[in-house]
Amino acid sequence: SHFFQNLLNEFYAKYEEYGLGNIFFTYWIAVNSNSITAAVHYGALIEKLQAKYMKIQNVSYSKILDKSVFKKMRKQLEGQVEAFELTDEQKEIFLNKIGNMNTYSQKDKMDFFCNDISLLRSDIEKLAWQQRNDAAHGNDISDINQAWKNTIILKELVNKFLLKLLTSSKFYISYLEGSPIIKRI
């Protein structure tokens, strides 16, 4: 009972700071969604937790280069695009893409986030996150059973992030094997 009482106290202490009302509502939607669309909600929760963490800790995983450095680089790249023999439409497309070059990928953001909170992800967690990103961008799902398992993996990953960010707990309950197993975070 002390374990659960401590968990509740720790969640309560960080309730406002992490916007847990909204996070728990989205979590509830994910739990009650079908197994395929739930992955979208778990992924959104992970990104929301990353964003909250970055805001609270005053860190950023968004820009690769300092704005002033990238501004110089961008000007040179724009000059290079203009120098090529391209149609106006092609030039516009490439010029619009230059602005996105200075942002980290979601994979990189996840790596930075996990490193910051000292949470090691397993290979299956990394694969589930990558396949979630693939599905979110419209790539084909080739194995429905693996997609379903990835949803469970993403749910556990959300649980681990919540416990790591909000509590002093060192353990979580894993359901991947079909029955509950207590594992170390």
Side-chain angles (χ1 to χ4, degrees):
S1 67
H2 293 293
F3 173 77
F4 288 110
Q5 184 177 5
N6 287 340
L7 275 180
L8 288 175
N9 285 337
E10 289 174 326
F11 276 129
Y12 180 76
K14 294 187 178 179
Y15 190 87
E16 292 295 325
E17 183 179 34
Y18 274 88
L20 294 182
N22 187 277
I23 286 173
F24 289 149
F25 179 71
T26 306
Y27 190 93
W28 177 80
I29 291 171
V31 168
N32 289 291
S33 295
N34 69 56
S35 61
I36 302 300
T37 60
V40 173
H41 298 293
Y42 291 125
L45 278 166
I46 290 169
E47 290 181 16
K48 190 178 291 190
L49 287 169
Q50 287 174 349
K52 285 287 186 182
Y53 173 83
M54 287 188 298
K55 183 177 179 185
I56 291 166
Q57 299 299 321
N58 197 27
V59 296
S60 176
Y61 314 134
S62 56
K63 302 297 179 196
I64 300 167
L65 299 174
D66 181 74
K67 193 174 183 177
S68 62
V69 173
F70 183 71
K71 190 174 182 179
K72 292 175 189 173
M73 183 178 170
R74 181 181 186 146
K75 189 171 182 122
Q76 288 181 354
L77 289 170
E78 287 171 347
Q80 291 293 317
V81 169
E82 290 293 341
F84 274 90
E85 290 185 30
L86 302 170
T87 67
D88 289 341
E89 183 181 357
Q90 290 170 328
K91 285 181 183 179
E92 184 178 344
I93 290 168
F94 281 109
L95 292 171
N96 288 336
K97 288 182 178 265
I98 291 174
N100 291 331
M101 288 177 60
N102 196 31
T103 57
Y104 285 107
S105 69
Q106 188 50 248
K107 179 194 174 304
D108 291 333
K109 289 179 185 181
M110 177 66 98
D111 291 343
F112 296 145
F113 175 61
C114 290
N115 187 48
D116 278 359
I117 65 172
S118 301
L119 189 134
L120 296 174
R121 289 178 297 143
S122 68
D123 289 340
I124 62 169
E125 289 170 332
K126 291 175 183 177
L127 183 61
W129 182 247
Q130 182 57 50
Q131 289 181 348
R132 175 263 176 192
N133 287 340
D134 289 345
H137 291 97
N139 297 337
D140 289 338
I141 298 172
S142 58
D143 184 345
I144 297 298
N145 290 328
Q146 185 60 48
W148 176 80
K149 187 172 183 177
N150 287 345
T151 300
I152 296 169
I153 293 167
L154 290 173
K155 179 182 180 182
E156 283 196 9
L157 201 51
V158 169
N159 293 343
K160 286 168 63 173
F161 287 147
L162 284 168
L163 289 169
K164 187 75 172 173
L165 292 172
L166 305 175
T167 74
S168 59
S169 178
K170 303 282 186 243
F171 301 96
Y172 72 102
I173 298 174
S174 175
Y175 295 93
L176 281 180
E177 311 306 321
S179 59
I181 300 170
I182 296 176
K183 292 185 176 181
R184 195 160 188 63
I185 293 179

